[in-house]
């Protein structure tokens, strides 16, 4: 079968690989669509230290069940449409024992630590599949996975209806977080240096946008919140400067969730944390948000089609990855259709 493999940094191709055979407790899935994620671009560049090579990439995977053990916990059957939970956990360490499987001490992510699913067929533990409505378009289905990450950041920050959430970084996760906030009755404030992305956010119904390169972000957040500042700040860019600015944008007794992955340490004034009594949480991947994400997409409450730049065929995926790396501003989200 065909699959997308990064043999080493800067070397990605559509190659012939062996069709997988399901092991005990595993389902065989005919992959129908797969998302290209920013982490895949990092793997291509060689800037993701967690990736080992060579590696078949892909962790945003939707498809059709070809075979599955009859006694699977979710009652899935041959022919069902499913999305893959790509965060494989041990189930026995302390984080797993309290349900925070995304923090597993031996976490293995598809396409990073183990082979991914951007291929014609894929095997995966049957109990780590989530059923999709048959009416959901294949071109949209993979976006349930990045939506779970946005939702996880919102949940970690305990966002409530009526609150303001300042979201730093208008990439796919930031935009999905803003759309989710709107769905739940909160007011997002989108912050990004790229005017085109802010315009896209406004077109999606996000009322408040700020370009820190042209405006005083703190003053604008104060204006938009009638002086309170943001009850929640969600940092989605991974920029050290943005992480530091979150302390200035958050309200006294407010919360910050750190979803972006900075490349280096961020010096921060801990006295501000104490003075404002800020709750700061990490927000890594997701844990238990797939059903919610599927419901929000299926109901139209989060219109993920708004961030889909284009779809490509499997044999176009390698060239698209190379072009995204060169021209990231031309893309928001690309899905591969098989």
């Amino acid at each position: 079968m065909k699959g997308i493999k990064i043999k080493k940094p800067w070397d990605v191709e559509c190659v012939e690989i062996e069709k997988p055979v399901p092991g005990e407790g595993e389902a065989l899935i005919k992959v129908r669509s797969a998302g290209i994620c920013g982490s895949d671009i990092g793997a291509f560049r060689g800037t993701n230290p967690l990736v080992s090579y060579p590696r078949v990439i892909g962790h945003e995977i939707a498809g059709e069940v070809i075979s599955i053990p009859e006694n699977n916990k979710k009652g899935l059957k041959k022919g069902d449409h499913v999305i893959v939970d790509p965060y494989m956990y041990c189930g026995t360490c302390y984080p797993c024992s309290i349900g925070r499987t995304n923090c597993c001490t031996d976490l293995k992510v598809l396409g990073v630590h183990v082979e991914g699913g951007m291929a014609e067929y894929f095997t995966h533990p049957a109990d780590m599949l989530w059923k999709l409505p048959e009416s959901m378009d294949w071109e949209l289905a993979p976006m349930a996975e990045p939506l779970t990450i946005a939702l996880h950041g919102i949940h970690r920050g305990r966002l409530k209806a009526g609150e303001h959430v300042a979201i730093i970084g208008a990439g796919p996760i930031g935009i999905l977080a803003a759309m989710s906030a709107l769905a739940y009755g909160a007011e997002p404030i989108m912050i990004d240096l790229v005017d085109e992305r802010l315009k896209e956010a406004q077109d999606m119904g996000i009322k408040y946008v700020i370009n820190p390169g042209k405006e005083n972000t703190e003053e604008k957040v104060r204006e938009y919140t009638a002086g309170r500042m943001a009850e929640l700040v969600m940092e989605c860019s991974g920029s050290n400067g943005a992480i530091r600015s979150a302390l200035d944008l958050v309200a006294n007794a407010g919360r910050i969730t750190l979803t972006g992955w900075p490349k280096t340490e961020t010096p921060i004034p801990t006295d501000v944390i104490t003075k404002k009594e800020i709750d700061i949480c990490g927000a890594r991947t997701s844990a238990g948000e797939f059903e919610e994400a599927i419901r929000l997409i299926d109901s139209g409450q989060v219109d993920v089609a708004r961030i889909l730049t284009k779809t490509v065929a499997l044999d176009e995926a390698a060239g698209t990855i190379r072009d995204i790396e060169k021209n990231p501003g031309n893309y928001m989200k690309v899905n591969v259709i098989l």
Side-chain angles (χ1 to χ4, degrees), residues 64 78-82 131-138 298:
E64 182 179 344
K78 179 180 178 180
D80 281 345
H81 295 186
V82 294
K131 188 173 181 179
L132 295 168
E134 291 196 9
S135 59
M136 186 176 292
D137 290 340
W138 288 119
D298 188 48

Side-chain angles (χ1 to χ4, degrees), residues 4-334:
I4 304 301
K5 177 176 282 190
I6 298 179
K7 299 176 182 177
K8 59 185 179 180
W10 306 106
D11 184 356
V12 60
E13 297 293 343
C14 183
V15 299
E16 290 288 332
I17 55 178
E18 290 294 319
K19 181 179 176 180
V21 176
E24 185 177 354
E26 289 187 332
L28 176 64
I29 302 157
K30 178 178 175 60
V31 177
R32 300 293 298 272
S33 53
I36 298 175
C37 176
S39 63
D40 297 321
I41 306 305
F44 174 60
R45 289 181 178 136
T47 56
N48 185 342
L50 301 177
V51 178
S52 55
Y53 302 92
R55 178 66 63 221
V56 175
I57 59 170
H59 63 272
E60 301 172 6
I61 309 300
E64 182 179 344
V65 175
I66 300 301
S67 67
I68 193 166
E70 290 186 4
N71 61 346
N72 69 87
K73 292 179 182 178
K74 295 181 179 140
L76 295 170
K77 299 178 177 62
K78 179 180 178 180
D80 281 345
H81 295 186
V82 294
I83 188 165
V84 168
D85 183 339
Y87 304 112
M88 301 179 69
Y89 54 89
C90 73
T92 58
C93 67
Y94 168 66
C96 287
S97 74
I98 60 171
R100 292 175 63 177
T101 53
N102 59 313
C103 304
C104 175
T105 56
D106 191 31
L107 189 71
K108 291 181 172 60
V109 180
L110 301 185
V112 177
H113 308 90
V114 294
E115 297 292 63
M118 199 176 289
E120 293 179 290
Y121 292 89
F122 184 62
T123 58
H124 200 62
D127 296 334
M128 294 188 70
L129 302 173
W130 296 91
K131 188 173 181 179
L132 295 168
E134 291 196 9
S135 59
M136 186 176 292
D137 290 340
W138 288 119
E139 67 178 25
L140 301 182
M143 279 179 323
E145 193 281 330
L147 180 53
T148 68
I149 296 174
L151 291 169
H152 189 68
I154 283 175
H155 296 331
R156 289 282 287 156
R158 310 188 304 280
L159 183 66
K160 297 186 286 292
E163 291 187 328
H164 294 87
V165 52
I167 301 170
I168 306 175
I173 301 302
I175 291 288
L176 290 171
M179 288 197 286
S180 300
L182 287 172
Y184 289 143
E187 189 73 73
I189 302 169
M190 181 59 67
I191 302 167
D192 200 280
L193 289 166
V194 181
D195 283 332
E196 290 80 6
R197 291 203 166 182
L198 295 177
K199 176 62 166 60
E200 290 172 2
Q202 287 181 311
D203 290 344
M204 295 173 195
I206 299 164
K207 182 178 178 182
Y208 299 123
V209 299
I210 303 170
N211 185 328
K214 299 178 179 180
E215 303 170 281
N216 184 307
T217 307
E218 187 176 349
E219 287 182 2
K220 296 301 289 186
V221 170
R222 182 171 288 108
E223 174 190 335
Y224 294 152
T225 61
R228 177 179 291 188
M229 306 304 288
E231 291 92 342
L232 174 63
V233 178
M234 187 168 168
E235 205 299 301
C236 301
S237 73
S239 157
N240 298 99
I243 293 167
R244 167 61 187 88
S245 74
L247 300 182
D248 300 323
L249 307 181
V250 71
N252 282 28
R255 293 97 60 198
I256 295 172
T257 54
L258 302 177
T259 299
W261 286 73
K263 295 181 174 60
T264 57
E265 289 184 13
T266 305
I268 57 174
T270 57
D271 60 316
V272 176
I273 299 172
T274 304
K275 180 181 178 182
K276 287 189 170 184
E277 199 171 79
I278 303 165
D279 294 348
I280 301 178
C281 291
R284 179 186 185 184
T285 62
S286 64
E289 280 92 2
F290 269 95
E291 283 185 301
E292 181 184 7
I294 293 165
R295 174 178 56 79
L296 287 171
I297 294 173
D298 188 48
S299 66
Q301 289 176 279
V302 175
D303 186 3
V304 295
R306 300 295 297 268
I307 68 167
L308 182 63
T309 305
K310 65 186 293 189
T311 60
V312 299
L314 186 64
D315 58 8
E316 299 174 291
T320 302
I321 287 170
R322 287 190 284 267
D323 196 56
I324 293 172
E325 194 285 324
K326 290 178 183 176
N327 303 290
N330 294 342
Y331 298 90
M332 178 66 79
K333 192 67 185 165
V334 177

